[in-house]
Amino acid sequence: MEHSGRPSAAQIVLIATSSALTAVFYSMYRRKAGTACRLKEAKKISIDQDLKNILIDAPGKCIPYAVIEGVVKSVKETLSSQFVDNCKGVVERLTLREHKMVWNRTTHLWNDCEKIVHQRTNTVPFDLVSHDDSVSTAVRVIRPLDSAELDLEVVYENFHPTVQSFTDAIGHLISGERPKGIRETEEMLKVGESVTGVGELVLDSNLVKLQPPKQGMQYFISRLDYESLLTKQQSRVKLWKVLTIVFGIATCATVFFILRKQYIHFKEQQKLKSIREEFREMQTKRLREMNLEEESISPNACIICLSSERSCVFLECGHVCSCDDCYHALPQPKKCPMCRKAISRVVPLYNS
């Protein structure tokens, strides 16, 4: 807080930053809370012989937001793992991540960083079928890559360390980057995996489809069951709620601190103004008692006796307003007659 009572630049930046973070966290909290609420209200549909009849009776042969639990089954061909034998799936994701140590010039520490240098995802059409083999009804999954959380299983992972010569090591130390190696991973949604799908369920030309929902609702293809998926989303809501509350309290505390400082500064100014007015009145009264005109008083005269020269500097306020005799005559605890602040020590003033 500056002496003028205005907030400092650092305090303004702190309020702006904390307010912006609070707004961002609150927006994320509202979004996650809406997702969890709509997921909780989604209609659970079983894959059975009555599924098509349910959709025929629904408006527009469509259920806007439905939960389907079933087993992954390929429509025609399947994808084979490039590294694991007899591992077949319908979604395959190959990822190459570069791992390296980067020198932080601020903390003077090496930080572990990773970056995706290549990623490729392959898909083939697949259905969700009932766990009961006697049920022939299937649900075609449309655009699975649009899912908010496409939950894939890591079937292969290998780290290829970087081989460095002495010259390379010296160059990396100078550049501030030390490569560690490349991590290669393969993830798959395997055939026969139990999957929970949440989205728009429609009947199109006798084919039941699960596709991304409209109206901003989230599309889920997850290996978790419905209850676990809902619990996971609700835990994220709690996280964003806690962050919103923490930063909201920090913002309110900062604003309260600044307002309190401004109020104290305002009260001090009012008190100082009152003291000055009181001093003026007492000085005028003293002049009348002594039958003196204000113009006849020396500018350096003691404000108490109006006769001797000022010869004391009061600390810590720094006022020069009294002679030595009047200072010693002040009652205990001694306070400056100008501002009423406590006098911690006195420095003699010598006029040449």
Side-chain angles (χ1 to χ4, degrees):
M1 185 72 66
E2 298 175 354
H3 294 296
S4 62
R6 297 175 181 175
S8 64
Q11 290 171 338
I12 293 175
V13 170
L14 179 61
I15 290 178
T17 304
S18 58
S19 300
L21 288 174
T22 302
V24 170
F25 291 149
Y26 180 71
S27 175
M28 292 299 298
Y29 161 70
R30 288 290 302 271
R31 188 184 306 172
K32 296 296 181 181
T35 299
C37 182
R38 285 190 286 267
L39 181 60
K40 187 176 182 179
E41 295 173 352
K43 187 175 182 180
K44 292 195 67 175
I45 304 294
S46 300
I47 301 178
D48 53 26
Q49 303 294 353
D50 296 330
L51 177 58
K52 290 185 178 180
N53 294 330
I54 293 174
L55 288 172
I56 290 172
D57 296 336
K61 298 182 180 180
C62 168
I63 299 177
Y65 209 49
V67 178
I68 287 287
E69 292 183 287
V71 178
V72 174
K73 180 182 179 182
S74 61
V75 177
K76 293 181 180 178
E77 57 183 10
T78 58
L79 298 171
S80 298
S81 171
Q82 299 184 20
F83 305 98
V84 181
D85 295 334
N86 300 320
C87 182
K88 298 184 180 296
V90 292
V91 181
E92 178 193 38
R93 178 178 293 157
L94 298 169
T95 308
L96 295 178
R97 287 184 175 88
E98 179 188 17
H99 289 259
K100 59 183 177 181
M101 303 293 289
V102 178
W103 177 254
N104 190 313
R105 299 182 186 277
T106 303
T107 61
H108 297 284
L109 296 172
W110 288 95
N111 298 328
D112 191 5
C113 300
E114 69 173 44
K115 180 178 67 174
I116 295 177
V117 295
H118 178 72
Q119 189 174 75
R120 186 178 79 245
T121 304
N122 302 316
T123 63
V124 294
F126 68 95
D127 293 338
L128 293 182
V129 299
S130 174
H131 293 83
D132 186 356
D133 295 336
S134 62
V135 178
S136 59
T137 305
V139 176
R140 181 69 50 82
V141 178
I142 307 299
R143 289 156 53 191
L145 298 183
D146 290 350
S147 170
E149 295 183 16
L150 183 57
D151 191 9
L152 304 179
E153 179 185 354
V154 177
V155 297
Y156 174 81
E157 186 174 18
N158 190 23
F159 184 76
H160 305 278
T162 302
V163 179
Q164 301 182 22
S165 64
F166 178 75
T167 305
D168 294 335
I170 297 297
H172 295 151
L173 286 174
I174 295 173
S175 66
E177 292 188 1
R178 293 190 317 192
K180 294 175 63 177
I182 300 293
R183 185 176 299 278
E184 184 179 19
T185 59
E186 182 183 30
E187 302 168 276
M188 296 190 74
L189 181 60
K190 295 190 291 185
V191 173
E193 192 86 57
S194 294
V195 165
T196 300
V198 185
E200 185 181 60
L201 201 62
V202 297
L203 180 63
D204 183 14
S205 301
N206 205 36
L207 178 65
V208 181
K209 296 180 180 179
L210 179 69
Q211 60 189 21
K214 300 178 179 62
Q215 302 173 352
M217 292 183 285
Q218 292 277 9
Y219 186 35
F220 293 99
I221 303 294
S222 175
R223 291 186 296 121
L224 298 174
D225 59 65
Y226 171 69
E227 295 298 331
S228 300
L229 180 62
L230 180 59
T231 301
K232 182 179 179 181
Q233 298 302 313
Q234 290 174 338
S235 65
R236 291 182 177 179
V237 172
K238 292 178 182 178
L239 172 63
W240 290 109
K241 184 177 181 180
V242 169
L243 289 174
T244 302
I245 292 173
V246 169
F247 278 85
I249 291 174
T251 303
C252 293
T254 305
V255 172
F256 173 78
F257 172 78
I258 292 175
L259 292 178
R260 181 175 176 273
K261 285 290 185 181
Q262 287 185 324
Y263 175 75
I264 292 173
H265 178 78
F266 172 76
K267 296 296 288 185
E268 288 177 349
Q269 292 297 316
Q270 291 292 104
K271 183 179 179 182
L272 186 59
K273 183 180 179 181
S274 175
I275 290 172
R276 286 173 179 170
E277 291 177 353
E278 182 182 352
F279 170 73
R280 284 285 182 188
E281 293 174 0
M282 293 183 64
Q283 191 178 49
T284 304
K285 183 179 179 181
R286 177 71 172 163
L287 288 171
R288 288 201 202 98
E289 291 175 354
M290 297 177 66
N291 294 321
L292 296 173
E293 295 293 333
E294 188 173 353
E295 292 78 10
S296 64
I297 303 298
S298 171
N300 295 324
C302 170
I303 66 170
I304 299 175
C305 64
L306 299 176
S307 56
S308 301
E309 292 290 319
R310 302 178 186 184
S311 59
C312 301
V313 181
F314 297 151
L315 299 178
E316 302 293 330
C317 66
H319 284 130
V320 181
C321 58
S322 170
C323 63
D324 187 65
D325 292 337
C326 291
Y327 161 69
H328 286 96
L330 290 173
Q332 295 289 346
K334 295 184 183 299
K335 294 183 179 181
C336 174
M338 288 285 289
C339 64
R340 300 295 193 271
K341 290 186 178 179
I343 301 172
S344 59
R345 59 194 180 101
V346 179
V347 177
L349 181 65
Y350 301 99
N351 296 318
S352 58

